Amino acid sequence: MKRRHFIRTTLAGSALLSAFPYELLAGDTRLYPHDRVTLGNTGIELSRMAMGTGTNGFGGSSDQTRKLGIKGVSDLLRAAFDDGINFWETADQYGSHPHVKEALKKTNREEVVILTKTNSKTYKNVKSDLDRFKQELGTDYFDIVLLHAVTDGNWNTNMKGAMEALAEAKEEGTIRAHGLSCHSLEALQTAADEPWVDVDLARFNPGGARMDADVDTVQKVLTRMKKNGKAILGMKVYGAGLLLDKKDECLQFQLGTGITDAFTMGIDNIEYLRDIQKRLPEASVRG
């Protein structure tokens, strides 16, 4: 009850960080990045945290691919997998498909959950992307495929072809769930009520940093989305680096609000991974 009351009445954007209400978000059980959770109504079981490969990802590369190369990213994903983190997030835009493919060579495919994204907006191009992604990732199916970085509030009308291509792939068993990552309030509002959406990747943190609107507004939309049976993945957990001095607050917020089913973190070194593995269980019960 206390968490639901907090969600309704307390969130106030960046003001939240000046007097963070730890006691309202504290849980009774320590939560870990490797905990297995079920993603909404999709039936997909995955680790609570995803290993993101797209920090500052654009033009076919990211911090991970630029700094670590194929072997480095692969080794990092494998290290996380060995610790029980089996959820890997990638995208065409990040250029990290070959890096994930390398990690999969030493992993049972069925034990890993892969999320990728396409920037294409038409039926033909999405179908072509899926064929290419299979080769780039070395897999014959995807767990989750999202339309990437959508800003158009009328995306469910203007991108009907792309939606149809993903729906067909789901029917054929090529993908298990589909949805989108939202980069505008209008797109997020549409996603909340669109029946086609299985999964939404939403920017969500207690400071409102790099989000689609202020915290209270976004949370209300996400609450409606969750009530409509959609799975929600959190991103920009540390506000794209703007909230690095508030890591504990950001992690507790991500867990304590009860909005996101899981979340992704753009991790580019083993020390970063170990820090989150240590902080998350402590943040989950901090009162």
Side-chain angles (χ1 to χ4, degrees):
M1 177 64 72
K2 64 182 181 182
R3 292 188 184 189
R4 287 195 294 270
H5 180 73
F6 168 81
I7 290 169
R8 288 197 305 270
T9 63
T10 307
L11 291 178
S14 59
L16 174 64
L17 293 177
S18 63
F20 196 78
Y22 290 106
E23 69 284 355
L24 295 178
L25 291 174
D28 300 321
T29 305
R30 293 179 187 275
L31 305 179
Y32 296 84
H34 61 261
D35 289 339
R36 289 295 185 270
V37 300
T38 300
L39 186 59
N41 296 323
T42 67
I44 299 173
E45 293 187 0
L46 38 64
S47 55
R48 185 180 306 281
M49 187 183 82
M51 292 291 288
T53 62
T55 305
N56 295 316
F58 58 89
S61 69
S62 68
D63 284 357
Q64 284 78 9
T65 66
R66 291 186 289 266
K67 294 177 181 178
L68 303 177
I70 289 179
K71 184 179 185 303
V73 173
S74 173
D75 288 348
L76 188 58
L77 293 175
R78 281 289 311 163
F81 179 80
D82 289 343
D83 288 341
I85 300 171
N86 76 330
F87 185 15
W88 299 347
E89 181 222 346
T90 182
D92 192 25
Q93 182 172 308
Y94 308 155
S96 54
H97 286 169
H99 306 67
V100 173
K101 180 178 182 178
E102 184 65 22
L104 281 176
K105 291 179 180 179
K106 301 177 181 179
T107 309
N108 185 339
R109 172 65 183 93
E110 286 68 35
E111 295 181 7
V112 179
V113 174
I114 295 177
L115 180 156
T116 190
K117 314 179 199 78
T118 172
N119 291 98
S120 294
K121 295 177 171 58
T122 67
Y123 177 89
K124 178 180 178 180
N125 288 346
V126 169
K127 293 284 282 187
S128 177
D129 281 351
L130 294 180
D131 288 339
R132 175 167 56 86
F133 292 178
K134 289 178 185 178
Q135 298 300 315
E136 292 176 349
L137 284 161
T139 182
D140 58 0
Y141 75 96
F142 314 98
D143 297 285
I144 307 162
V145 179
L146 305 181
L147 303 176
H148 197 181
V150 177
T151 59
D152 182 4
N154 295 315
W155 62 266
N156 58 340
T157 297
N158 297 330
M159 299 175 68
K160 278 287 188 184
M163 295 166 63
E164 182 181 351
L166 292 182
E168 285 185 3
K170 182 180 175 182
E171 291 176 3
E172 295 164 358
T174 301
I175 65 176
R176 300 171 66 190
H178 49 58
L180 73 161
S181 65
C182 294
H183 283 244
S184 78
L185 178 61
E186 293 76 16
L188 191 69
Q189 290 171 325
T190 300
D193 300 312
E194 171 53 53
W196 175 86
V197 175
D198 299 322
V199 180
D200 186 86
L201 180 60
R203 300 188 284 189
F204 193 51
N205 60 68
R210 300 290 175 84
M211 281 173 48
D212 299 322
D214 62 89
V215 177
D216 185 57
T217 298
V218 169
Q219 184 138 343
K220 287 177 180 177
V221 177
L222 294 180
T223 298
R224 184 172 87 242
M225 181 181 290
K226 199 170 187 70
K227 287 181 178 178
N228 286 338
K230 304 175 192 315
I232 301 173
L233 296 172
M235 62 171 165
K236 299 294 186 289
V237 174
Y238 290 165
L242 297 176
L243 303 174
L244 289 176
D245 61 333
K246 300 291 183 181
K247 291 180 181 178
D248 295 331
E249 290 91 332
C250 289
L251 292 173
Q252 188 171 22
F253 175 84
Q254 199 68 213
L255 300 173
T257 54
I259 293 293
T260 58
D261 298 282
F263 61 92
T264 183
M265 299 290 288
I267 298 172
D268 60 9
N269 62 73
I270 194 69
E271 291 77 17
Y272 197 166
L273 173 61
R274 298 293 179 240
D275 182 68
I276 293 171
Q277 288 174 310
K278 181 180 178 181
R279 286 178 185 273
L280 194 71
E282 295 298 325
S284 62
V285 296
R286 183 173 287 111

